[in-house]
């Protein structure tokens, strides 16, 4: 396989992964988060827990594939401009991973522990608001990554 074909294939995978990340997170931000913010304590906890299994195996895998292909593109892409923009997109993907792991996933574990113990603390609304803010940050990072990935692809093929 030639370098150009490999780079093109990696770019397609990278754009696809960043698009999936951005699309899923925008859907969560625009539809799921507003719904969660309106639910009472017990219902919110139950619905939040039911959502996680649908996202958990898929989204971290997509993020890891995006990180790997993005890193390869920073090295292999033709031209300094394309490599720089792929690097910016990669930074956006890393932002999604960092916010997810350091904020949202940790909060998800706390919510799960509450439900397992059968008791949701009085300060639950603060955690719900922090989770929503963190989701906004990772959504913005994912949208940035997708836009940058599209731009880098255009620079590579244009």
């Amino acid at each position: 396989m030639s370098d150009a074909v490999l780079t093109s294939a990696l770019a397609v995978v990278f754009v696809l992964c960043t698009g999936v990340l951005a699309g899923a997170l925008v859907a969560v931000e625009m539809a799921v988060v507003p719904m969660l913010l309106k639910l009472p304590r017990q219902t919110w906890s139950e619905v939040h827990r039911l959502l996680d299994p649908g996202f958990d195996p898929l989204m971290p895998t997509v993020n890891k594939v995006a990180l790997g292909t993005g890193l390869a593109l920073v090295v292999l892409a033709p031209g300094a401009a394309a490599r720089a923009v792929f690097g910016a997109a990669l930074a956006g993907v890393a932002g999604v991973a960092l916010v997810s792991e350091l904020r949202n996933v940790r909060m998800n574990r706390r919510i799960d522990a509450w439900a397992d113990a059968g008791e949701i603390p009085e300060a639950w609304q603060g955690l719900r608001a922090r989770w929503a803010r963190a989701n906004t940050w990772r959504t913005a990072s994912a949208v940035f990554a997708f836009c940058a990935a599209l731009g880098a692809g255009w620079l590579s093929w244009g």
Side-chain angles (χ1 to χ4, degrees):
M1 181 181 300
S2 74
D3 286 348
V5 171
L6 175 61
T7 302
S8 294
L10 289 171
V12 167
V13 170
F14 187 63
V15 168
L16 178 63
C17 287
T18 58
V20 168
L21 287 171
L25 287 170
V26 165
V28 168
E29 184 69 17
M30 300 304 293
V32 176
V33 170
M35 178 266 307
L36 287 172
L37 291 174
K38 292 179 181 176
L39 295 176
R41 179 183 357 196
Q42 189 63 39
T43 307
W44 165 76
S45 175
E46 291 170 10
V47 170
H48 196 281
R49 285 188 68 180
L50 290 170
L51 288 169
D52 280 343
F55 286 103
D56 194 12
L58 175 64
M59 297 307 283
T61 301
V62 172
N63 207 310
K64 288 172 188 169
V65 171
L67 287 168
T69 55
L71 187 59
L73 288 163
V74 168
V75 174
L76 299 173
R83 286 191 300 274
V85 181
F86 275 123
L90 179 61
V93 173
V96 172
L98 288 171
V99 172
S100 293
E101 288 302 317
L102 297 176
R103 303 293 296 162
N104 296 88
V105 170
R106 288 181 181 184
M107 287 185 259
N108 291 347
R109 289 185 186 131
R110 285 181 64 192
I111 296 163
D112 290 346
W114 295 343
D116 290 341
E119 186 174 317
I120 301 167
E122 292 300 319
W124 70 278
Q125 290 176 316
L127 183 123
R128 179 172 69 174
R130 287 190 304 279
W131 190 96
R133 280 192 303 275
N135 191 72
T136 299
W137 280 105
R138 68 182 176 171
T139 300
S141 190
V143 169
F144 170 79
F146 179 55
C147 292
L150 289 172
W154 180 80
L155 287 170
S156 295
W157 297 308

